[in-house]
Amino acid sequence: MSSSVVNGGVSFWYAQDGFPEPREPLPGDTSADVVIVGGGYTGLWTAYYLIKAAPSLRIVVLEQKFCGYGASGRNGGWLYNGIAGRDRYARLHGKDAAVRLQRAMNDTVDEVIRAAGAEGVDADIHKGGVLEVARTPAQWGRLKAHHEQELSYGETDRELYGARETAGRVRVSDAVGSSWTPHGARIHPVKLVTGLAEAVEAQGVTIHESTPVTEIRPRHAVTPYGTVRAPYVLRCTEGFTASIKGQRRTWLPMNSSMIATEPLTEEQWAAVGWAGRETVGDMAHAYMYAQRTAEGRIALGGRGVPYRFGSRTDNDGRTQAETVEALREILVGMFPALARVRVEHAWSGVLGVPRDWCATVTLDRSTGLGWAGGYVGSGVATANLAARTLRDLVRHDSGQDGRTELTELPWVGHKVRKWEPEPLRWLGVQGMYATYRAADRRESVAPGAESSRLARVADRVAGRG
């Protein structure tokens, strides 16, 4: 890795404007109507919709570092309609229920864009859709199956492209085809989360930063500086959930890493294409995701070191040199014309993975404890749907409203078993991703169109099947 690469510093997304001014920690014991643990997208959107629905509510948000320190300030900027666990929900609750969930996610992309515009939050949003590209025969087979599956969930505006049509959008080397959906947009993650924090504060929500919550129990959020008492305590901590007492095995903090290039020249963009500014992914088992930023860089991510023993999280986004080099190789493999382009920033972050890989939103009416998360990397949009659902669940429980379409979605109240204790957890995740990478290597040299059996073994071990 070049010494000129900025490594960590939370993420590249803070490089332009720096970190926001810190907010005051919790000054001592206090009370509220709702206390929200976590100052990322889920927590802030929940505060936003609750205060909009009932401006008199006393809402307190507690954040261990600063708003956007976690996945909300480090992600790839994919605002899209994917949701973790949809196929399992179809098996558990029927296809119609899963179709309603998918339609809600389609609508959520536009809702985030609408709300950001209404609050004057300029997050570099460009709705160019999502382009998923196949680069091997096996990937092409999976992509066509994926395309047909999405159509079956009502996404009739999705389009399937061959090699020539794909190149007309983005010139990815060796691309044999792609699938495009309009339900996606590029965003600047930090501009969205900082703008959202300012918006909820302006409407009367209290945010305390540098305030880690060490324990959550009914009607109490406990911190080193005091306890907040409230009828509703909502846990919105995603990949950092394991740091809370009793939550070590609830969601596994899966690591994902990213790089950002220097701004490309006009000649380089002419070689790459990408005029539509779609978000771009592939169909590898250890997949990549990328966007063309507003200032003309490529930000690209994928799995590095997938998991740290004991559910530990990283040190302010610092990333191993071999991970940075592996992501650079993916970039140049996709775009050989960029062989000389410099990588200027690298970083990592964690996403929350439930044992069955299903995102959930829940309010326990007997205790007032609620939570949402387990987005498995699809949280930029899902967090907004979860927040609106938490709003409706709280309002129903408090007698302010009845059941709504959102509270009837199949992911509400879903229960999942905990992850295995260590060292089984670490061994399982390391083995799973080693197997996925081996499957990708085998498919890259195999002439056939069948997906590697190795990947199916890894799916069973992971609990994704």
Side-chain angles (χ1 to χ4, degrees):
M1 181 174 64
S2 170
S3 60
S4 64
V5 176
V6 178
N7 191 343
V10 182
S11 79
F12 159 76
W13 306 116
Y14 287 102
Q16 183 176 353
D17 297 324
F19 299 134
E21 284 292 318
R23 296 174 173 87
E24 291 296 316
L26 181 70
D29 292 345
T30 190
S31 62
D33 297 311
V34 181
V35 58
I36 295 170
V37 182
Y41 291 144
T42 305
L44 293 173
W45 278 125
T46 301
Y48 176 80
Y49 288 110
L50 279 170
I51 202 71
K52 284 285 192 181
S56 63
L57 281 178
R58 295 173 301 148
I59 302 173
V60 173
V61 176
L62 303 175
E63 164 56 42
Q64 69 163 342
K65 295 277 191 172
F66 57 82
C67 292
Y69 175 80
S72 299
R74 308 191 199 190
N75 63 80
W78 276 42
L79 174 69
Y80 86 118
N81 67 338
I83 185 166
R86 183 194 62 188
D87 294 344
R88 189 181 295 271
Y89 288 130
R91 293 196 296 272
L92 292 172
H93 301 280
K95 185 68 174 288
D96 288 347
V99 168
R100 287 190 287 109
L101 182 60
Q102 185 59 65
R103 286 175 178 162
M105 281 302 307
N106 297 348
D107 294 340
T108 294
V109 173
D110 292 326
E111 169 59 18
V112 172
I113 296 171
R114 182 207 65 77
E119 299 302 329
V121 177
D122 181 2
D124 295 343
I125 298 173
H126 180 86
K127 191 181 179 186
V130 180
L131 187 74
E132 293 164 297
V133 180
R135 299 181 64 206
T136 68
Q139 287 188 22
W140 179 233
R142 285 197 298 276
L143 181 64
K144 288 188 290 185
H146 170 69
H147 178 83
E148 290 301 319
Q149 185 179 42
E150 298 308 295
L151 294 180
S152 76
Y153 280 99
E155 199 176 326
T156 56
D157 43 6
R158 176 176 284 267
E159 299 175 4
L160 186 68
Y161 302 139
R164 183 185 302 175
E165 294 165 303
T166 300
R169 283 185 173 269
V170 186
R171 297 189 188 95
V172 175
S173 176
D174 299 325
V176 295
S178 62
S179 181
W180 175 83
T181 174
H183 302 292
R186 173 209 70 194
I187 68 162
H188 187 298
V190 163
K191 289 183 179 180
L192 179 59
V193 73
T194 56
L196 184 55
E198 292 169 1
V200 299
E201 234 175 6
Q203 293 170 55
V205 172
T206 300
I207 301 174
H208 292 298
E209 295 180 327
S210 301
T211 305
V213 173
T214 56
E215 183 180 0
I216 294 173
R217 57 178 187 261
R219 297 168 183 82
H220 295 77
V222 181
T223 85
Y225 310 119
T227 297
V228 182
R229 293 171 174 81
Y232 299 101
V233 183
L234 307 180
R235 190 187 78 227
C236 304
T237 46
E238 191 57 357
F240 289 83
T241 299
S243 64
I244 299 172
K245 182 179 179 180
Q247 303 295 332
R248 177 75 66 182
R249 294 164 54 196
T250 299
W251 291 329
L252 186 140
M254 189 79 74
N255 198 59
S256 195
S257 301
M258 294 197 70
I259 58 174
T261 69
E262 64 184 324
L264 272 59
T265 65
E266 290 185 11
E267 292 77 13
Q268 287 170 324
W269 279 121
V272 169
W274 214 339
R277 292 165 174 77
E278 304 90 343
T279 57
V280 174
D282 69 2
M283 294 302 292
H285 299 292
Y287 55 86
M288 58 71 59
Y289 49 94
Q291 68 149 283
R292 175 176 176 168
T293 74
E295 56 182 353
R297 304 172 188 264
I298 293 177
L300 179 147
R303 294 290 182 265
V305 177
Y307 173 72
R308 291 175 170 81
F309 190 89
S311 292
R312 295 194 304 271
T313 53
D314 61 79
N315 180 24
D316 288 350
R318 189 159 183 83
T319 302
Q320 290 188 333
E322 52 265 40
T323 297
V324 179
E325 184 56 33
L327 292 174
R328 178 182 169 76
E329 288 177 2
I330 293 173
L331 172 72
V332 175
M334 293 178 64
F335 306 113
L338 304 183
R340 296 183 180 276
V341 74
R342 287 185 297 113
V343 172
E344 291 194 341
H345 210 124
W347 70 100
S348 297
V350 292
L351 48 101
V353 181
R355 190 62 184 88
D356 65 356
W357 299 67
C358 289
T360 58
V361 57
T362 297
L363 179 67
D364 185 336
R365 301 187 69 181
S366 66
T367 62
L369 298 178
W371 58 89
Y375 304 134
V376 195
S378 300
V380 178
T382 313
N384 179 277
L385 178 61
R388 287 181 284 130
T389 306
L390 278 174
R391 171 202 61 193
D392 289 0
L393 289 169
V394 168
R395 287 181 58 76
H396 173 58
D397 184 73
S398 61
Q400 303 301 305
D401 208 345
R403 304 289 292 184
T404 69
E405 290 184 4
L406 298 186
T407 63
E408 300 304 308
L409 291 174
W411 69 329
V412 175
H414 177 71
K415 293 180 175 61
V416 60
R417 67 184 175 93
K418 292 182 180 295
W419 282 89
E420 291 79 3
E422 297 291 20
L424 296 176
R425 192 158 70 244
W426 185 87
L427 290 169
V429 177
Q430 300 299 321
M432 175 182 69
Y433 271 97
T435 305
Y436 282 141
R437 292 189 180 101
D440 285 330
R441 287 193 298 271
R442 180 173 294 183
E443 290 177 3
S444 69
V445 297
E450 184 178 347
S451 293
S452 172
R453 293 180 181 177
L454 288 173
R456 293 198 289 274
V457 172
D459 283 344
R460 286 196 292 272
V461 171
R464 302 174 73 172

